[in-house]
Amino acid sequence: LHGDLGRSFIQRSEVSELVSARIGPSLQLMAAGILCELVLGIALGTLAALKRGGLADRLLMALSFIGVSAPQFIAAMLFLYLFAVVLNWFPMGGYGGFSHLALPALTLGLLGSGWYSRMLRSSMIEVLHQDFIRTARAKGLGRTRVLLRHVLPNAVLPLIPMIGIDIGIFMGGLVVVESVFGWPGIGQLAWQAIQQVDIPVIVGVTTVSAVAIVGGNLIADLVLPWVDPRIDVKK
């Protein structure tokens, strides 16, 4: 209740100060990572739903399955080698401007977009068979207008709880990605504490992670009724 997480055995500093110093970078990576997930997931999921049963659909779903199944450590190392060493598009790691943020965010986006694309595909297929979509088409609305104005706004609703979960996970610390790319977030702090057996820091990071997960889900639960008028919170 007082926010006193104790003192670090190794760094001789307040755990709350160590954690608060890492919140800023973690927030940056969280926002960029979720944005990449949403952009890629919505684009791929929409294309797969519109091409349902076709070659593009099967290929995209196979790629999404690979994305959600790939170990973060291996994927992060591959992306680091490809984009930083071979192509030299991004720096090897560290904390700085957009160039330092882009590669870890892109890694999270490519790996996490599979969940969003699969969920959106299923949701879009269901929405496309609703009566109000047939009514919109019967009124003569174009395919693009039906998609953007009627299908997508309803199909993306199941993604909101997933965003809430991601907020909790990302703020709880992305140990693997932050360690590989040298990003000074909560995950890197947790990994250093584990290596040094710094119990107060481990407990502090775990506490922050638990609060972040609860907070992320709470935000999703509060936002969902606001964007979906069919949900009556009074009942």
Side-chain angles (χ1 to χ4, degrees):
L1 295 178
H2 297 283
D4 185 4
L5 301 175
R7 292 180 62 86
S8 168
F9 292 158
I10 306 299
Q11 303 187 47
R12 303 297 181 183
S13 301
E14 294 291 335
V15 174
S16 57
E17 295 178 359
L18 296 174
V19 172
S20 61
R22 305 293 185 112
I23 288 180
S26 289
L27 283 173
Q28 294 178 25
L29 185 57
M30 178 197 73
I34 292 178
L35 179 62
C36 289
E37 286 182 338
L38 285 174
V39 171
L40 293 172
I42 291 175
L44 298 179
T46 300
L47 181 59
L50 295 178
K51 302 295 184 181
R52 180 188 179 189
L55 177 61
D57 180 24
R58 292 194 292 269
L59 179 61
L60 290 173
M61 289 301 97
L63 291 175
S64 69
F65 179 77
I66 294 173
V68 300
S69 304
Q72 276 193 352
F73 178 78
I74 295 177
M77 293 297 292
L78 287 175
F79 292 149
L80 186 64
Y81 177 75
L82 176 62
F83 293 110
V85 177
V86 177
L87 299 177
N88 197 27
W89 288 356
F90 303 103
M92 287 290 292
Y95 179 66
F98 172 79
S99 60
H100 294 84
L101 176 62
L103 192 52
L106 183 61
T107 301
L108 294 172
L110 289 173
L111 295 178
S113 62
W115 296 109
Y116 287 88
S117 62
R118 297 176 75 88
M119 177 64 75
L120 183 67
R121 175 186 178 275
S122 300
S123 180
M124 278 195 67
I125 291 174
E126 181 180 351
V127 172
L128 285 169
H129 289 86
Q130 296 294 322
D131 291 338
F132 70 92
I133 299 298
R134 286 192 287 268
T135 302
R137 289 171 175 168
K139 289 181 177 180
L141 296 180
R143 183 180 183 183
T144 302
R145 188 175 181 183
V146 171
L147 177 65
L148 296 179
R149 188 169 181 178
H150 298 283
V151 178
L152 272 178
N154 289 278
V156 298
L157 294 177
L159 302 186
I160 295 177
M162 297 177 65
I163 296 174
I165 295 173
D166 273 348
I167 290 175
I169 294 175
F170 283 25
M171 283 306 299
L174 298 165
V175 176
V176 174
V177 173
E178 291 182 2
S179 298
V180 170
F181 293 104
W183 190 262
I186 295 177
Q188 189 187 68
L189 177 65
W191 176 241
Q192 292 172 351
I194 292 171
Q195 289 180 309
Q196 298 169 346
V197 197
D198 198 346
I199 303 300
V201 177
I202 296 174
V203 173
V205 170
T206 303
T207 303
V208 171
S209 301
V211 172
I213 292 173
V214 173
N217 283 276
L218 178 61
I219 292 173
D221 290 340
L222 293 175
V223 170
L224 193 56
W226 181 63
V227 298
D228 188 357
R230 295 172 298 180
I231 300 177
D232 188 359
V233 295
K234 296 180 181 179
K235 291 184 178 180

